[in-house]
Amino acid sequence: MLLGLVYAAFRRAIFIFAPQILTDGLFNFTIMQTLFYLPFFLLGALAFKYPALKARFITPTRDAGLALWLVLSLICLTSTMAVVINGFMKPTA
């Protein structure tokens, strides 16, 4: 999470003080993409090195399943409400 905050602060500072370099493709590819993917690479490397950490990532828990069910239920409910409110379910004839 700390790396994500550093990335966001770095990108915001560049956007405020030097926005012209964000349009440079080489800079975007080499610096910004590296900073964006670095936390995921580190998590993968640590999970590869430490089996206990890998087991923690891939072992499903009851709380995670409950949270997933809750999020998916809310998505389904809001999608259904959007369809009903916008009138996409009106009879055609």
Side-chain angles (χ1 to χ4, degrees):
M1 185 161 150
L2 182 62
L3 286 175
L5 292 174
V6 169
Y7 173 79
F10 182 69
R11 185 167 172 83
R12 179 59 63 178
I14 289 175
F15 183 70
I16 291 171
F17 297 114
Q20 69 277 6
I21 66 172
L22 286 177
T23 59
D24 182 18
L26 181 62
F27 174 80
N28 188 36
F29 184 75
T30 57
I31 304 299
M32 300 308 287
Q33 294 296 318
T34 302
L35 288 175
F36 181 75
Y37 288 112
L38 186 64
F40 303 108
F41 173 76
L42 289 176
L43 278 177
L46 288 172
F48 181 76
K49 187 171 181 178
Y50 300 108
L53 187 60
K54 179 181 178 182
R56 181 176 295 255
F57 282 137
I58 64 172
T59 304
T61 63
R62 189 172 145 239
D63 294 337
L66 184 63
L68 178 66
W69 177 82
L70 182 65
V71 167
L72 291 177
S73 296
L74 287 174
I75 290 171
C76 183
L77 179 67
T78 55
S79 174
T80 303
M81 293 303 293
V83 167
V84 169
I85 289 172
N86 290 329
F88 293 125
M89 305 276 300
K90 290 181 182 175
T92 56

